[in-house]
């Protein structure tokens, strides 16, 4: 497990699942416990209950398409007709905003929000808002802090979008920035890369939950709302194969 990229701290955390086991049983136990620790009981429930859903992350991570996928899931799978897609950013970012096209595709309102009057604008809209955040992290954190104090933390869900295959150091930086607001993770671009053991170790060490898995291409019906069974199956399909290769390589 360490040979394929899991950190020693993560392995120590789940050591009791590995001790005195043969390799196959140890892998299965480790993956089951890791999946259980990295997932929510119900990621759909947290989405339904929140009125304001803030999508944060770096440029190029897939925030905009993920925002559209989330809105599409609410409209088509959860059958909610009270959803709007929003872009929170500077005026010039609205000129080439793909969110407009996605809004037309799934037939939901599209709203532009400028940073200087963001809180007032957001509060004035009655619908459930999926907000693609494109302002800097400091302004984002200040807005979320003030907004939670005003409307209550139970009405706000923050999702940190991370492209699978990210460098572990970049992922650590994201947690340094956004860890204080306890975001739920969404891993994107799973048709291009697998989630690596290094990434999983960073997530485990920061006590964060993975709520959503999605690929790059499709917008409609393309999000897996993650639970421990779904994540465990994903890990079994990818991690155990790596472990077997590592064992074979070590034996040679």
């Amino acid at each position: 497990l360490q040979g394929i990229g899991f950190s020693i701290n993560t392995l120590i955390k789940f050591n009791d699942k590995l001790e005195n086991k043969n390799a196959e049983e140890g892998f299965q136990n480790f993956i089951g416990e890791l999946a259980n620790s990295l997932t929510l009981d119900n990621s759909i429930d947290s989405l339904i209950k929140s009125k304001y859903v803030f999508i944060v992350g770096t440029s190029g991570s897939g925030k905009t398409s993920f925002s559209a996928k989330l809105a599409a899931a609410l409209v088509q799978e959860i059958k909610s007709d009270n959803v709007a897609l929003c872009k929170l950013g500077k005026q010039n970012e609205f000129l080439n905003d793909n969110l407009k096209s996605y809004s037309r595709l799934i037939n939901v309102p599209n709203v532009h929000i400028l940073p200087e009057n963001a809180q007032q604008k957001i509060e004035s809209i009655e619908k459930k808002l999926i907000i693609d955040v494109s302002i800097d992290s400091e302004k984002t954190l200040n807005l979320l802090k003030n907004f939670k104090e005003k409307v209550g933390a139970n009405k706000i869900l923050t999702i940190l979008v991370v492209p699978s295959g990210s460098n572990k150091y970049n992922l650590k930086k994201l947690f340094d920035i956004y860890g204080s607001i306890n975001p739920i993770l969404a891993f994107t671009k799973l048709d291009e890369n697998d989630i690596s053991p290094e990434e999983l170790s960073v997530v485990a060490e920061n006590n964060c939950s993975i709520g959503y898995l999605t690929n790059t291409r499709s917008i409609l019906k393309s999000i897996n709302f993650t639970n421990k069974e779904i994540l465990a199956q994903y890990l079994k399909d990818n991690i155990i194969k790596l472990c077997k290769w590592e064992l074979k390589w070590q034996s040679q």
Side-chain angles (χ1 to χ4, degrees), residues 52-56 119 131 133 135 137-153 156-159 178 181:
Y52 308 101
V53 183
F54 290 85
I55 313 298
V56 302
Q119 186 165 331
I131 305 169
V133 180
I135 58 177
S137 58
E138 185 177 351
K139 289 180 180 177
T140 299
L141 295 173
N142 286 334
L143 172 63
L144 286 169
K145 178 178 179 293
N146 294 332
F147 205 52
K148 284 180 180 180
E149 291 174 356
K150 181 74 180 291
V151 304
I156 297 172
L157 174 65
T158 307
I159 300 174
Y178 294 109
I181 57 175

Side-chain angles (χ1 to χ4, degrees), residues 44-54 74 127-130 153-158 184 212:
I44 297 178
D45 193 47
S46 61
L47 176 64
I48 292 172
K49 289 181 178 179
S50 302
K51 184 175 186 331
Y52 308 101
V53 183
F54 290 85
L74 283 165
K127 294 180 178 292
K128 177 191 283 288
L129 304 184
I130 310 297
N154 62 323
K155 291 186 177 180
I156 297 172
L157 174 65
T158 307
I184 297 174
Y212 314 93

Side-chain angles (χ1 to χ4, degrees), residues 9 47 62 101 127 135 170 175 177 198 202 228 230 240:
N9 289 334
L47 176 64
S101 300
K127 294 180 178 292
I135 58 177
N170 291 335
F175 280 118
I177 295 169
E198 287 186 348
V202 175
K228 61 184 178 182
I230 289 173
I240 289 182

Side-chain angles (χ1 to χ4, degrees), residues 65-220:
S65 59
F66 178 79
S67 300
K69 291 172 186 180
L70 211 56
L74 283 165
V75 171
Q76 296 189 338
E77 298 174 44
I78 303 172
K79 305 302 180 184
S80 173
D81 60 357
N82 192 37
V83 180
L85 267 173
C86 306
K87 181 78 165 184
L88 171 53
K90 297 177 182 178
Q91 185 69 49
N92 61 358
E93 293 179 317
F94 301 140
L95 298 176
N96 298 306
D97 183 13
N98 289 329
L99 214 59
K100 286 182 184 178
S101 300
Y102 294 143
S103 297
R104 287 193 291 269
L105 175 65
I106 57 181
N107 194 29
V108 299
N110 181 265
V111 182
H112 294 164
I113 302 172
L114 295 171
E116 49 266 29
N117 64 344
Q119 186 165 331
Q120 295 89 336
K121 178 77 171 181
I122 292 169
E123 287 184 65
S124 71
I125 303 169
E126 293 297 325
K127 294 180 178 292
K128 177 191 283 288
L129 304 184
I130 310 297
I131 305 169
D132 176 13
V133 180
S134 293
I135 58 177
D136 67 56
S137 58
E138 185 177 351
K139 289 180 180 177
T140 299
L141 295 173
N142 286 334
L143 172 63
L144 286 169
K145 178 178 179 293
N146 294 332
F147 205 52
K148 284 180 180 180
E149 291 174 356
K150 181 74 180 291
V151 304
N154 62 323
K155 291 186 177 180
I156 297 172
L157 174 65
T158 307
I159 300 174
L160 174 59
V161 175
V162 178
S164 56
S166 296
N167 180 291
K168 68 177 180 180
Y169 300 105
N170 291 335
L171 190 50
K172 286 178 180 178
K173 286 180 182 177
L174 283 174
F175 280 118
D176 287 341
I177 295 169
Y178 294 109
S180 63
I181 57 175
N182 299 314
I184 297 174
L185 276 189
F187 272 103
T188 60
K189 305 186 181 183
L190 287 168
D191 49 346
E192 299 177 16
N193 296 290
D194 293 326
I195 305 172
S196 71
E198 287 186 348
E199 291 171 288
L200 291 166
S201 293
V202 175
V203 177
E205 288 167 17
N206 283 273
N207 298 312
C208 193
S209 296
I210 301 172
Y212 314 93
L213 302 174
T214 184
N215 59 26
T216 301
R217 296 182 181 90
S218 177
I219 294 296
L220 305 178

